[in-house]
Amino acid sequence: MGEIQPEVVAHPSADEIDDAVVYLKGHEKEALDSPVNLRALRRKIDRRLIPYMFCCYVLQFLDKVMLNYAAVMGIKKDLGLVGNDFSNVATWFFIAYLIAEVPNVYFLQKVPPAKWLGGNVFLWGVAAAASSGARGYRSLLAARIFLGIFEATVGPSLMLISSQYYTRSEQAPRFTVWYMGLGVAQIIGGIISFGFQHVHHALLDSWRIMFLVLGLVTTVVGGLTFFFIPDTPMKATWLSDNEKVALLQHVSENQTGVWSANLNLKQIREAVLDIQLWLLTVTTILISVSSGVVTTYSSTLIAGFGFSGPISALLNTPSGIVSIFFTLLVGFGIRRTSNRWAWNILCTIPGIIGGGLLSFLPKSNKAGVLIGIYLVNAIVATLPILYQWTMANCAGHTKRAFASALVAGSFSVGNIIGPQTFQSHDAPEYRPAKIAVLATQAAAALLSVVLFFYYKWQNHRRDQTKSGVDAADQTRWAGLTDKQNHSFRYVY
């Protein structure tokens, strides 16, 4: 690819200027005032942001996985679902999710991510509640499609919000905390399903009440998110001017910017041609195939052992414990040691073992197959790694928005493939689906190694140039992409 030329720091054009630059220029004297305790500032930001982000992620998984629990609550019989109808309903959610990522790139550049997130959370709560009124395959399908459209922004929005307030090393544990909502949702989802299955003689079926209640709760959280997460750090009313300046100076080391509403088409072109993004995308797809299996069919697999619906729901709750354990392990491990590629591989190992147990143990070995189902959930922890890795290594306002939507969209691709590996003619063993889990995890581990060597090579090439501290200082707010900014160094 040739030598990297010595860096020439260009002045940012009007469409590249970050809003943080404008704010800092207007508050130059605050930078000279009393110093701010960054540790206390981080705790303050955590208290104001993380609870909303955590609740949004809990609910996005709950509202999505309720279909999994409804499968053992009689939804197939009540709505007359036959053949692959159930798989198709699960798949079309993610097709809608994927399609919606295209306009997301635009809206995440034009609308503050917190506002876009809050509005969509409210609307997906409406769609989740509307699922309770389904009268057949088509009406359920329509409700799930709308749910997919509105949920599509949750990953990209949370990624962008996190990157506005924290440095690259600080982002990993914060991504972990809000992403841990998935494991919490797995636990309480099973308990919620168990509880609603004991609702008898009501005017509505138990699964309908479950959809309605969770949908209404989601609309409330969406409204709170819309009004209480600020558009940008500069608009946070609960931060003083001194704190805002200190925060912006602190996160400037990311060299990724904070916020700009200008859409830069050149950055989209660069992203499309960026090999690192496609490696991250394919890795996410491979990881998400297993996620699609876990999300849609874990209760069905457990019920296949002959357990009743309520017991199947409860037996699914340990999956959440596995998810939480590995999510916490890698989140705080990355904060201390970096090595995202190694942590990614670490989580695929239990996934590979779980896939092997699912694929090759006889169905009569209930304990072994259950352990396999639980172990597969370790791969859930790889997704926050990939999300944070993407945000840490993509600079430029438009490129970051595009990258977040692309990786979130690739998550939906894997989840489209996952449920489709469950074909009705393979019941009750579903052997091809189980083998797919094993194979995709092994391939994801291999690509993590490829990413490691790619980033090492890129950093080595950049180290041959003369870009020093002064150049890095000049490019902190220049709105440059990681390719344009030769003082940028990739994390791995």
Side-chain angles (χ1 to χ4, degrees):
M1 294 180 65
E3 294 285 333
I4 289 182
Q5 297 301 316
E7 180 179 4
V8 177
V9 180
H11 293 290
S13 61
D15 65 342
E16 292 175 330
I17 294 177
D18 195 287
D19 286 7
V21 175
V22 178
Y23 183 86
L24 287 171
K25 284 184 177 179
H27 295 79
E28 292 174 339
K29 78 176 188 66
E30 277 83 356
L32 303 174
D33 288 347
S34 57
V36 172
N37 185 322
L38 287 176
R39 181 173 294 181
L41 179 59
R42 277 196 300 269
R43 288 198 299 267
K44 185 176 183 178
I45 293 169
D46 288 342
R47 289 195 302 270
R48 292 284 187 162
L49 298 184
I50 299 299
Y52 296 108
M53 298 166 75
F54 175 80
C55 287
C56 285
Y57 218 79
V58 167
L59 289 166
Q60 73 87 27
F61 189 80
L62 268 182
D63 290 336
K64 181 168 54 190
V65 83
M66 281 302 104
L67 186 67
N68 180 0
Y69 293 115
V72 296
M73 295 171 70
I75 191 173
K76 294 181 182 179
K77 179 182 177 182
D78 293 339
L79 298 185
L81 303 182
V82 295
N84 291 322
D85 284 352
F86 187 76
S87 290
N88 291 338
V89 167
T91 297
W92 270 99
F93 168 91
F94 288 104
I95 292 175
Y97 191 109
L98 176 62
I99 292 171
E101 293 299 353
V102 177
N104 256 339
V105 175
Y106 177 81
F107 287 115
L108 285 171
Q109 190 70 39
K110 293 295 183 181
V111 182
K115 289 288 184 286
W116 187 239
L117 173 65
N120 277 274
V121 172
F122 179 87
L123 291 173
W124 98 49
V126 174
S131 301
S132 66
R135 288 292 178 265
Y137 170 67
R138 291 184 178 181
S139 53
L140 179 64
L141 181 63
R144 298 295 293 184
I145 287 173
F146 278 107
L147 189 66
I149 291 171
F150 298 130
E151 279 197 24
T153 192
V154 65
S157 294
L158 292 178
M159 283 188 260
L160 289 171
I161 293 169
S162 298
S163 67
Q164 289 179 333
Y165 291 86
Y166 303 102
T167 64
R168 293 194 284 184
S169 64
E170 292 166 356
Q171 287 170 27
R174 274 76 185 183
F175 272 66
T176 292
V177 172
W178 60 253
Y179 196 88
M180 194 172 64
L182 188 151
V184 173
Q186 285 178 296
I187 294 172
I188 65 176
I191 296 171
I192 289 171
S193 175
F194 178 82
F196 278 110
Q197 287 181 66
H198 287 82
V199 176
H200 302 295
H201 311 298
L203 294 175
L204 296 175
D205 298 313
S206 59
W207 62 267
R208 294 183 190 276
I209 300 173
M210 180 176 67
F211 279 135
L212 182 60
V213 170
L214 287 173
L216 293 175
V217 170
T218 302
T219 60
V220 172
V221 171
L224 293 174
T225 300
F226 185 91
F227 289 108
F228 289 106
I229 293 185
D231 293 351
T232 64
M234 296 80 79
K235 293 185 178 180
T237 56
W238 36 267
L239 290 177
S240 68
D241 288 339
N242 278 6
E243 289 173 329
K244 291 174 185 177
V245 169
L247 173 63
L248 294 175
Q249 291 176 336
H250 179 58
V251 300
S252 69
E253 71 178 58
N254 293 338
Q255 301 193 58
T256 57
V258 171
W259 171 252
S260 174
N262 295 295
L263 187 69
N264 189 325
L265 296 179
K266 290 182 180 179
Q267 291 188 9
I268 292 180
R269 181 178 181 275
E270 178 183 304
V272 170
L273 298 175
D274 193 344
I275 189 171
Q276 66 152 333
L277 262 182
W278 293 109
L279 288 170
L280 288 164
T281 295
V282 175
T283 305
T284 305
I285 291 172
L286 292 169
I287 290 294
S288 302
V289 169
S290 298
S291 175
V293 171
V294 169
T295 299
T296 309
Y297 274 98
S298 56
S299 288
T300 300
L301 289 172
I302 294 171
F305 295 136
F307 295 112
S308 65
I311 299 302
S312 297
L314 282 182
L315 285 174
N316 211 15
T317 55
S319 298
I321 297 173
V322 174
S323 298
I324 291 171
F325 173 78
F326 280 95
T327 301
L328 286 172
L329 177 68
V330 301
F332 290 95
I334 289 172
R335 172 71 164 138
R336 291 181 175 275
T337 66
S338 193
N339 293 317
R340 291 159 179 80
W341 67 279
W343 289 106
N344 218 41
I345 293 172
L346 175 69
C347 292
T348 63
I349 292 172
I352 292 169
I353 295 171
L357 293 175
L358 285 172
S359 302
F360 304 116
L361 283 181
K363 189 178 177 182
S364 58
N365 190 339
K366 294 182 180 180
V369 178
L370 269 176
I371 290 172
I373 292 172
Y374 299 149
L375 285 177
V376 169
N377 284 270
I379 59 95
V380 166
T382 62
L383 288 169
I385 298 174
L386 292 165
Y387 286 168
Q388 194 272 328
W389 215 354
T390 303
M391 288 294 94
N393 284 341
C394 288
H397 311 297
T398 303
K399 185 175 181 180
R400 282 166 63 228
F402 180 89
S404 65
L406 180 65
V407 173
S410 63
F411 165 76
S412 66
V413 172
N415 277 272
I416 290 168
I417 297 170
Q420 288 302 311
T421 61
F422 280 82
Q423 294 295 306
S424 57
H425 56 75
D426 294 324
E429 293 289 336
Y430 298 109
R431 183 62 59 83
K434 297 171 182 176
I435 293 175
V437 170
L438 174 63
T440 53
Q441 294 312 297
L446 178 62
L447 279 184
S448 297
V449 177
V450 174
L451 274 164
F452 165 70
F453 283 112
Y454 174 78
Y455 287 133
K456 285 272 290 185
W457 172 63
Q458 283 287 345
N459 286 349
H460 176 72
R461 293 176 69 234
R462 290 167 183 239
D463 288 341
Q464 308 308 308
T465 68
K466 298 296 184 181
S467 52
V469 174
D470 291 340
D473 286 341
Q474 293 179 58
T475 57
R476 285 176 187 263
W477 298 113
L480 302 177
T481 67
D482 52 281
K483 295 292 186 187
Q484 296 169 331
N485 180 3
H486 298 154
S487 65
F488 186 95
R489 293 297 180 269
Y490 295 102
V491 296
Y492 49 80

